[in-house]
Amino acid sequence: MSSRADASKDAFRLLPSIEELLHDPRLRELGASVPREVWLGFLRELIERWRSEIKAGKLDGATLSGRLAGPALVTELSAAIGRERRAGIVRVVNATGVVLHTGLGRAPLHPEAAAAMGTVAGSYCVLEVDRESGERNQRDDRLSELLRRMTGAEAGIVVNNCAAAVYLLLNTYLARGKRDEVIVSRGELVEIGGSFRVPDVMERAGVVLREVGTTNRTRIADYRAAAGERTSLLMKVHTSNFRVEGFTEEVTPRELAELGRELGLPTAFDLGSGLIEGDDVEPLPEVMGDEPRVRDAVASGVDIVCFSGDKLFGGPQSGMLVGKRAAIAALRKNPVYRALRLDKVTIAGLERTLELYLADRGDEIPSRAMLRATADELRPCAERIAAALRSLPDCTVSVVPERSQPGSGAAPGVFLPTWVVRLAHSRRKAAHLAADLRRAEPPVFVRVQDEALLLDPRSLLPGDEERLVSAVRSVIA
Ligand SMILES: *Cc1c(COP(=O)(O)O)cnc(C)c1O
């Protein structure tokens, strides 16, 4: 036998059993701090990990004895318990400046919307019953009415997210006899982060994709030439997360609607983000570039317009479909709707958010306020944070002009001027500090750039400034 085989044989003999670890007095307190099943799982994983290290020739008997006798055992298991405690959804401080950060849950809701959601979550509520007559009704009757008032559409229906909205739309029009083709511009076959690709959704919805035009130019004549016996829908998709610049041409929703009417074909426009504006709400457009507005899209005459609830709209995760009465009724009749419909909690949050818009209080919605904040308005906060961190050892702290991004593919190419706190440590790597901040209580997410942390006040909510400062202090001091 080779000496390596001998060494691993020794090591295998030294591997403790679960039983031995369970009775190890050094681990008793640690083990008691988590449910027994979880603890057993950690012990099993540890033994398995060591076993594979031995198999791979990376762990010999001497090293393993050292681990068993020394602090390694307790350290490794404490780390596992730490990861367990930090797992799952918890509140975080978003100091990245990305307002609609998909990884951090997109739009933070208005406190009144959040409260409405909390209340109905813990109680019974009027969901599918009419309070006046006591008769059964539709859970989203009120929501459709609010959407109608807000967007100028004839009707509306809401599903789980915008991806579900697109799916419902395609699946519904597919069910029309032999018509199984959807015509879309080649330049609009977008992939939105997190694996939502328009062509893939179409395929799963059972439709045949008919691409028209070229990557940079599509004209209405291209749609007209492609329309035929098998066409079920003419569709337009907002290229949310990229821009084609230069020699470009795209079909306007108005042209699409006119062609649809002429050919007797339904039309749809997936806006993605959906900039919603009431008559009196201060518009976001100056900061949002040429992001299309829901009202304009509806007014263009396309049958169905869809957009996300948790992007620029600033509500809970959902996907709205608004448009012509008959078109929306067809979506509602599709049995697939049942699988995509909203729960009471989300409906409550959406209703409250729409009511805020309709009461001309849309600018109070946190994500909108964050997007509108100017660099001048953000600077004092950056200065206060910098002042609170300047005394930290080994740190260079400054306040510098930067740019924040809206996020979520909303308004690509739009950069919002801001002031950030730049913090560089003379000995510790910025990426390591950022990792420590993510493990803080509450966790803090920051940008890392050129070996420094950038703390952008744009995406901070009330109370976050103090949380951010104390997290950075605890990680560095
Ligand atoms: C974001 C986006 C979607 C998906 O929206 P979700 O609400 O995240 O499901 C669909 N289409 C477009 C054009 C988008 O920008």
Side-chain angles (χ1 to χ4, degrees), residues 174 176-181 229-231:
L174 173 71
R176 301 197 323 155
K178 294 221 179 332
R179 295 176 173 271
D180 60 355
E181 275 185 7
E229 296 280 285
R230 290 178 59 187
T231 309

Side-chain angles (χ1 to χ4, degrees), residues 61-291:
T63 315
L64 180 52
S65 311
R67 283 191 196 171
L68 286 167
L73 188 62
V74 172
T75 319
E76 287 215 31
L77 288 163
S78 306
I81 289 179
R83 282 193 295 274
E84 168 79 11
R85 292 223 175 92
R86 290 189 297 269
I89 295 183
V90 292
R91 178 196 188 120
V92 307
V93 172
N94 176 7
T96 66
V98 180
V99 176
L100 301 168
H101 194 303
T102 300
L104 302 182
R106 291 201 185 155
L109 300 197
H110 190 281
E112 289 176 25
M117 293 173 86
T119 303
V120 299
S123 68
Y124 295 105
C125 65
V126 177
L127 184 62
E128 287 190 358
V129 61
D130 180 67
R131 277 166 80 183
E132 308 303 323
S133 64
E135 305 271 314
R136 188 77 179 254
N137 67 0
Q138 301 273 4
R139 59 178 58 203
D140 62 347
D141 277 348
R142 167 76 175 158
L143 194 49
S144 333
E145 173 60 22
L146 295 173
L147 274 173
R148 220 175 49 71
R149 291 182 201 163
M150 190 66 220
T151 65
E154 290 173 9
I157 186 169
V158 190
V159 290
N160 188 50
N161 53 21
C162 192
V166 173
Y167 180 81
L168 179 64
L169 170 69
L170 296 171
N171 181 277
T172 302
Y173 284 100
L174 173 71
R176 301 197 323 155
K178 294 221 179 332
R179 295 176 173 271
D180 60 355
E181 275 185 7
V182 173
I183 304 182
V184 191
S185 159
R186 185 164 279 120
E188 298 177 356
L189 291 172
V190 300
E191 169 173 330
I192 319 292
S195 79
F196 178 84
R197 284 180 159 185
V198 171
D200 295 345
V201 175
M202 292 191 168
E203 189 189 307
R204 283 305 175 104
V207 305
V208 176
L209 174 65
R210 184 78 189 266
E211 300 171 41
V212 297
T214 60
T215 312
N216 57 330
R217 303 194 82 177
T218 302
R219 302 183 187 82
I220 195 66
D222 298 321
Y223 275 86
R224 184 192 292 279
E229 296 280 285
R230 290 178 59 187
T231 309
S232 66
L233 179 72
L234 307 179
M235 185 159 175
K236 182 171 169 57
V237 181
H238 176 53
T239 54
S240 326
N241 50 5
F242 70 101
R243 293 166 77 90
V244 183
E245 309 232 354
F247 186 59
T248 64
E249 185 169 348
E250 62 174 304
V251 168
T252 67
R254 191 169 296 279
E255 287 174 310
L256 199 71
E258 277 164 15
L259 184 65
R261 269 196 302 276
E262 183 190 321
L263 303 177
L265 289 171
T267 50
F269 187 6
D270 174 14
L271 285 183
S273 216
L275 187 53
I276 202 147
E277 302 295 334
D279 288 339
D280 298 312
V281 180
E282 279 278 334
L284 273 179
E286 323 86 86
V287 283
M288 284 300 107
D290 50 10
E291 189 69 22

Side-chain angles (χ1 to χ4, degrees), residues 430-444:
H432 292 169
L433 290 176
D436 286 347
L437 282 170
R438 291 197 301 273
R439 285 190 290 262
E441 296 294 343
V444 172

